[in-house]
Amino acid sequence: MAAERVIIFDTTLRDGEQTPGVSFHRSEKVEIAKALEAMGVDVIEAGFAAASRGDYKAVSAISQELKRATVCALARCVEADIEAASQALEKAAHKRIHVFIATSPIHMADKLHMTPDEVYEAAVRSTRLARQLCDDVEFSLEDATRTEREFLYRVVEGVIRAGATTVNLPDTVGYAAVQEYGQLFRDVLEKVPGADAVTLSVHCHNDLGLAVATSLEGVRCGARQVECTINGLGERAGNAAMEEIVMGLRTRREYYHCDTSVDAHGIYRVSRTIASLSGVEPAPNKPVVGANAFQHQSGIHQHGMLNNRATYEVMHPEDLGMPQQSLALGKLSGSHALADRAQQLGYALDGPALQSAFRRFKELADRKKEITDRDIVAILREQKLTAQGAYRLFAFQIFTGNRMTSTATVTLEKNGETTTRAACGDGPVEACFNAVDAITGMPCALQSYNIKAVTEGQDALGEVTVRVRSGEETMLGRGVSTDVLEASCLAYINAVNRLIEHQELELAAEVQP
Ligand code: MN
């Protein structure tokens, strides 16, 4: 049966980055954009070029890297914004300028202080300018779901005439009811001349838990682009989650008669990457990618699953690239076996990366009997964050108790030399971090600290993620160990190494002409 194609527009790097506490570094943005492209995402919104120098540089770095996917930059209805977007996109093989303005009475009156006529003029004028600079122009009517209908039709018609090739009707505040949102698309297609000749797009927020439902209903009623983020990252309650949209359309293809170009096998890995780099872990019961999304607890369910998986599963975790069987790797396995397994899990390992992953694997194999795929993934993710030629944890010792100040003695190695310092703290973790600061000479403020068990059981790996701040920069670090204090120490050192590496890179970039 023929399925119509729905364009997947990822905005993890723009709307997703507006999540409180989340900020990606440029190199991380490039890594994410490449992973999204490899997975088959059609359009990648790389940022808001006029917002800051960092955003501009990120859009331009992504533009240089991507080959197949369209790179999109956001702009307000302001000449300077549109020109900045166009310049940042200059090197992109496929580019799109995305212009937006709010059209609801409350946004026009209380945010923009503009009359409807002024908003209409700005929308048409800006679309025309964007179209002179780029063949692919998207126009968004911010807060479309609270916009008066006649005015909405007028703006949509105006921007189509001015050259918009995609028109997006966002449910900016997650207000729309499901059928109501679908009807909006039917009405626009019926009432606005030219609407059937452009791509209509959905963009939904999850304030009332309906982002995915409203998006799918929009598709059912004629929209052919979905704007979404990995893990549903985004401001407030987040955006529609890409993995749910993709699997929703694919699992019920016979109902929607629509599908996307996304290769679902990349979903799990990209979801883990975003969880790592954002520091925002999806809830365990998060659909598609949550830790419990494919767990079956009750006896009746387990019995059914053993007879026929379709009894309780509408999709298969292996189709999402989730690691399945536990691995027959242990103490005696060689580096080839590890490289092979890593490859199957989607990580290419060779040279120094393989050596250092293998060293971590051996350390773990000494402490933990059975090494599962999830353990391997935790090690590989930690490796990914590891900077080269930096500080390594050599030894630590901690004195701690409930009625005493904790004291930590930490020895770090750098370029073959070891340095030891002792420090106190309110608890063992803080004492360790203070000792590390004393060695590196770079005082850092801890912004967040998260710990979770990678697998079940007493010898489970603990995975610690920290976010530290030094001056203007914040950085994530990760450490895994069967010992949670060691994992904490490793995570902190990891973050500090990355901060040092980042500062050196920024310095080098400033020196170059
Ligand atoms: Mn949004």
Side-chain angles (χ1 to χ4, degrees):
M1 175 200 52
E4 275 192 60
R5 199 167 76 92
V6 170
I7 294 166
I8 291 292
F9 175 113
D10 176 273
T11 184
T12 308
L13 297 175
R14 202 276 301 165
D15 223 340
E17 207 197 20
Q18 289 173 219
T19 304
V22 171
S23 97
F24 300 117
H25 284 271
R26 202 184 322 143
S27 59
E28 296 169 342
K29 288 186 177 181
V30 172
E31 182 194 335
I32 294 168
K34 283 163 89 173
L36 292 168
E37 180 180 58
M39 194 163 91
V41 170
D42 303 286
V43 185
I44 294 165
E45 187 160 57
F48 194 161
S52 72
R53 223 165 85 89
D55 265 49
Y56 182 93
K57 284 189 190 163
V59 174
S60 122
I62 291 168
S63 298
Q64 290 180 42
E65 288 287 336
L66 298 194
K67 293 179 180 66
R68 192 200 50 78
T70 298
V71 185
C72 173
L74 185 67
R76 290 170 301 177
C77 282
V78 172
E79 237 179 87
D81 273 29
I82 297 166
E83 276 156 10
S86 165
Q87 280 160 20
L89 290 168
E90 201 190 326
K91 300 239 167 79
H94 308 281
K95 57 187 102 170
R96 171 181 295 184
I97 298 178
H98 179 190
V99 189
F100 77 100
I101 197 162
T103 50
S104 63
I106 183 171
H107 277 237
M108 291 191 291
D110 294 340
K111 185 179 83 173
L112 298 173
H113 307 294
M114 286 166 85
T115 65
D117 284 340
E118 287 167 344
V119 166
Y120 176 84
E121 288 308 322
V124 169
R125 184 177 0 101
S126 303
T127 304
R128 210 172 280 134
L129 171 63
R131 190 55 204 265
Q132 281 163 14
L133 300 167
C134 187
D135 287 341
D136 185 342
V137 173
E138 170 167 338
F139 193 89
S140 283
L141 290 79
E142 189 188 2
D143 207 13
T145 48
R146 294 192 297 173
T147 296
E148 285 174 354
R149 274 309 178 83
E150 291 308 316
F151 184 59
L152 182 140
Y153 299 147
R154 187 178 158 215
V155 176
V156 172
E157 186 178 348
V159 297
I160 291 174
R161 285 222 178 116
T165 46
T166 299
V167 176
N168 179 35
L169 303 174
D171 187 25
T172 304
V173 290
Y175 174 76
V178 175
Q179 285 80 2
E180 182 186 40
Y181 193 61
Q183 192 59 46
L184 172 64
F185 286 84
R186 286 197 201 282
D187 293 345
V188 165
L189 281 167
E190 190 194 309
K191 303 237 162 81
V192 179
D196 52 353
V198 299
T199 304
L200 295 182
S201 171
V202 301
H203 175 119
C204 298
H205 280 266
N206 208 28
D207 297 71
L208 293 167
L210 296 175
V212 171
T214 42
S215 299
L216 292 176
E217 181 68 359
V219 169
R220 204 177 67 84
C221 296
R224 286 295 174 267
Q225 172 177 286
V226 178
E227 303 195 359
C228 47
T229 61
I230 299 290
N231 295 346
L233 210 62
E235 205 146 8
R236 307 185 311 277
N239 287 62
M242 188 205 293
E243 59 277 9
E244 296 174 33
I245 300 286
V246 167
M247 293 317 290
L249 290 176
R250 191 149 304 161
T251 307
R252 298 303 309 276
R253 213 173 107 132
E254 88 299 343
Y255 179 80
Y256 293 106
H257 306 293
C258 282
D259 203 349
T260 71
S261 303
V262 171
D263 176 6
H265 290 91
I267 285 178
Y268 180 73
R269 202 182 153 195
V270 170
S271 166
R272 292 320 311 159
T273 302
I274 296 299
S276 312
L277 296 177
S278 66
V280 180
E281 188 63 37
N285 60 345
K286 165 84 178 59
V288 185
V289 295
N292 295 348
F294 294 96
Q295 300 293 319
H296 302 276
Q297 187 78 28
S298 94
I300 293 171
H301 288 211
Q302 287 176 346
H303 179 72
M305 282 293 291
L306 289 172
N307 290 337
N308 178 353
R309 293 176 65 183
T311 49
Y312 289 100
E313 267 183 13
V314 296
M315 54 192 155
H316 296 315
E318 60 270 28
D319 294 341
L320 307 169
M322 282 190 177
Q324 289 309 298
Q325 74 278 38
S326 67
L327 183 64
L329 283 188
K331 243 177 153 158
L332 300 174
S333 305
S335 62
H336 277 299
L338 178 66
D340 271 0
R341 196 62 206 153
Q343 177 93 50
Q344 288 172 37
L345 296 171
Y347 294 81
L349 272 188
D350 50 21
L354 175 58
Q355 277 170 31
S356 91
F358 188 59
R359 191 176 58 230
R360 295 284 290 126
F361 168 77
K362 282 297 207 191
E363 284 167 16
L364 180 63
D366 279 337
R367 301 188 204 175
K368 195 171 185 292
K369 225 188 300 173
E370 192 182 292
I371 298 194
T372 67
D373 284 357
R374 279 187 283 167
D375 293 321
I376 301 279
V377 169
I379 290 178
L380 296 173
R381 283 166 58 206
E382 181 196 48
Q383 292 290 314
K384 256 189 110 60
L385 284 183
T386 304
Q388 297 294 324
Y391 290 101
R392 261 178 32 90
L393 179 64
F394 183 76
F396 72 96
Q397 192 174 33
I398 300 171
F399 284 102
T400 190
N402 63 341
R403 285 175 183 271
M404 62 183 285
T405 302
S406 299
T407 314
T409 307
V410 174
T411 305
L412 299 187
E413 186 206 296
K414 189 183 186 182
N415 302 325
E417 279 180 40
T418 58
T419 314
T420 304
R421 289 285 182 280
C424 299
D426 278 339
V429 171
E430 198 196 54
C432 262
F433 293 178
N434 288 342
V436 171
D437 283 355
I439 295 172
T440 62
M442 188 162 76
C444 296
L446 183 67
Q447 289 199 313
S448 69
Y449 174 93
N450 280 295
I451 182 162
K452 74 179 184 91
V454 175
T455 48
E456 301 76 23
Q458 289 206 326
D459 62 356
L461 275 182
E463 182 177 70
V464 172
T465 307
V466 296
R467 180 183 290 278
V468 302
R469 181 181 195 92
S470 171
E472 289 296 294
E473 290 296 336
T474 65
M475 197 63 84
L476 279 181
R478 181 173 304 105
V480 289
S481 170
T482 51
D483 174 339
V484 296
L485 286 172
E486 185 177 59
S488 307
C489 221
L490 288 169
Y492 191 75
I493 294 165
N494 185 217
V496 171
N497 278 335
R498 299 184 70 225
L499 271 171
I500 293 171
E501 189 190 53
H502 181 75
Q503 285 175 358
E504 283 167 358
L505 279 177
E506 287 293 294
L507 215 61
E510 296 297 332
V511 172
Q512 278 164 21

